[in-house]
Amino acid sequence: MFKGEKTIWDIAIEESKKTKRASYQNPEDDQEGIKTKDESTIFVIGSKDAGKTSIILRFLDKDEIPKPTTALEYTFGRRARGHNIAKDVGHIWELGGGTFLSKLIDVPIKVETIDSISIILVLDLSKPHELWNTMETMLQVARERIERVISEAAAKDSAIQQRLRRRAWKQFGENHPDKDMIEPFPVPLVIIGSKYDIFQDFDSEKRKVIGRTLRFIAHSHGASLLFCSMKTESLVIKTRQLISHLVFGTAAGKTISLDANKPIIVPAGNDSLQQIGPPPVSEGDIGKLTARSPLELWKQAYTSFFPQQAGSTSVAEDPAKDPQYTEPAVDNIRAQKDEELERYRRQSERKVREMARGGVWEDVKV
């Protein structure tokens, strides 16, 4: 062997290093915008009973009956990378309970995931009187958490904020004519309008108001927008394609549909304020609005058309009685304590009745 000649082991080590560098290539360096990292995270939030679990199950191609999500649930998906043995992993978190458990948003959004997380906001199109409140609450909580995490991550990675901002603008389009009016969400955001099968039977004027409002919300946040129904296979396929793009970096769909009489599909950066038009208020009423920003103007217009109602503020069922969370040792003790509490309650009620009959009320504690 000549001096300086590489051995087979030297070549193997060099090839291994090349493969590793390619696997962890910065997404910013990919001209097609396709991720090359082997792990990513999506966080599915939104309206209660909007079909979030069903969307996840269909994406994972699981033939299961969806169960109500009590709090925060985790699953994952894997996908082979080319002909290699290695697989890409997508971590999938789902927040149940609508806005009620929004504080749990801190769990998936953290320093370790901020560079690879995407948010999917699912809004129930069949409940327009709750839609704005849900959207506003969830996006506000998510943005505040993301900004805190970015500040925390900046202590070790000073370029994190600039990198995320550059990625957001790259997705939206740095030369977009509405650039001065837009503030992209810090991480990739997708808004899914669920239950389109119910929504399509709404009065045409209601559909237009809801559709244009959601287009403005998505556009102003640099997000993609898609209307979906689990009962329409073509829409399920497009939803899966969009989620796959977020999770595995596959090619994004190119379909664009702005017709209010059809399911709306708008990839980020493919809409404009001119196409969306002004807020749905009459010329005589628009002068009466006191908004300080375009988003506030749209809020006043939408809520005047659909007065907002408070969504459910509690979990519908007691998680302790949910069979999917059974813990025999804990459940037996809980049942025993429940019996003790019930006996104490009956004894206290009996004591109060006896004292009431005797006319004695001093220093009574129940």
Side-chain angles (χ1 to χ4, degrees):
M1 180 181 295
F2 295 104
K3 185 178 181 179
E5 185 176 355
K6 295 180 179 178
T7 67
I8 188 170
W9 297 112
D10 294 329
I11 296 173
I13 291 171
E14 287 184 0
E15 289 299 319
S16 176
K17 289 180 178 179
K18 288 179 182 178
T19 302
K20 189 172 182 179
R21 283 197 298 268
S23 296
Y24 288 92
Q25 176 184 345
N26 190 325
E28 301 298 331
D29 298 332
D30 190 346
Q31 297 302 313
E32 298 301 321
I34 297 178
K35 296 178 184 176
T36 51
K37 288 188 176 182
D38 59 354
E39 290 193 26
S40 61
T41 301
I42 61 169
F43 188 20
V44 185
I45 59 178
S47 305
K48 190 177 186 299
D49 299 325
K52 299 186 291 296
T53 303
S54 297
I55 291 173
I56 293 172
L57 290 175
R58 291 303 302 269
F59 167 67
L60 296 174
D61 200 22
K62 291 185 176 181
D63 187 17
E64 299 178 10
I65 298 175
K67 300 177 182 178
T69 303
T70 303
L72 185 66
E73 294 193 2
Y74 167 82
T75 186
F76 67 92
R78 291 185 294 186
R79 178 177 180 270
R81 191 187 312 135
H83 298 290
N84 298 328
I85 298 176
K87 293 186 177 182
D88 293 327
V89 178
H91 304 283
I92 304 172
W93 292 87
E94 179 193 355
L95 181 67
T99 60
F100 175 60
L101 299 171
S102 58
K103 290 299 180 182
L104 291 176
I105 211 165
D106 291 5
V107 177
I109 303 176
K110 51 188 178 180
V111 172
E112 293 79 7
T113 63
I114 194 63
D115 234 343
S116 61
I117 195 169
S118 301
I119 305 294
I120 297 179
L121 174 62
V122 182
L123 299 174
D124 190 339
L125 295 175
S126 71
K127 298 179 180 178
H129 293 281
E130 297 179 10
L131 187 148
W132 187 281
N133 280 349
T134 300
M135 176 279 301
E136 185 175 52
T137 301
M138 300 310 298
L139 288 185
Q140 180 179 346
V141 173
R143 183 184 285 273
E144 289 174 354
R145 173 58 180 172
I146 290 169
E147 290 176 350
R148 289 197 304 271
V149 170
I150 291 174
S151 297
E152 184 181 344
K156 295 183 178 180
D157 181 3
S158 59
I160 180 72
Q161 187 167 13
Q162 184 179 1
R163 184 166 66 250
L164 291 176
R165 185 173 179 80
R166 186 169 63 246
R167 183 179 68 178
W169 277 113
K170 181 178 180 179
Q171 180 187 23
F172 185 81
E174 296 183 6
N175 298 319
H176 197 285
D178 296 334
K179 182 176 181 179
D180 294 337
M181 301 288 290
I182 300 300
E183 182 57 41
F185 207 68
V187 301
L189 173 65
V190 169
I191 298 176
I192 296 178
S194 66
K195 300 186 181 180
Y196 179 78
D197 52 301
I198 299 175
F199 172 79
Q200 66 182 347
D201 293 330
F202 281 12
D203 175 78
S204 62
E205 187 61 27
K206 291 183 178 180
R207 292 201 309 271
K208 288 179 181 178
V209 170
I210 297 170
R212 288 176 54 214
T213 299
L214 286 178
R215 283 175 60 190
F216 174 81
I217 292 169
H219 186 64
S220 62
H221 286 82
S224 297
L225 173 65
L226 180 147
F227 284 6
C228 178
S229 168
M230 291 295 101
K231 297 181 180 181
T232 305
E233 192 61 27
S234 61
L235 294 179
V236 172
I237 291 173
K238 293 184 186 302
T239 303
R240 291 181 63 184
Q241 184 179 32
L242 182 55
I243 297 176
S244 179
H245 173 65
L246 294 177
V247 179
F248 299 124
T250 56
K254 298 182 179 180
T255 302
I256 300 176
S257 175
L258 303 177
D259 190 343
N261 295 314
K262 298 179 180 179
I264 293 177
I265 304 173
V266 194
N270 285 274
D271 213 337
S272 70
L273 296 175
Q274 182 177 5
Q275 289 178 299
I276 296 170
V281 291
S282 64
E283 292 184 5
D285 291 335
I286 197 167
K288 301 176 183 178
L289 302 180
T290 58
R292 292 173 293 180
S293 68
L295 185 62
E296 186 70 22
L297 185 64
W298 275 85
K299 177 181 180 178
Q300 292 185 20
Y302 180 85
T303 55
S304 65
F305 203 97
F306 294 106
Q308 294 297 280
Q309 302 170 355
S312 174
T313 57
S314 62
V315 179
E317 298 180 359
D318 183 356
K321 298 178 181 178
D322 193 324
Q324 66 177 319
Y325 300 115
T326 55
E327 291 286 349
V330 176
D331 294 341
N332 289 337
I333 296 175
R334 171 63 186 269
Q336 180 181 339
K337 294 298 181 182
D338 286 344
E339 291 177 4
E340 292 175 1
L341 178 62
E342 181 61 22
R343 284 198 300 271
Y344 176 77
R345 185 186 64 80
R346 289 197 298 266
Q347 290 172 1
S348 299
E349 289 179 350
R350 184 167 59 251
K351 183 180 295 185
V352 169
R353 287 195 298 270
E354 291 173 353
M355 290 182 173
R357 285 195 295 269
V360 181
W361 285 100
E362 293 81 1
D363 299 324
V364 177
K365 294 182 180 179
V366 178

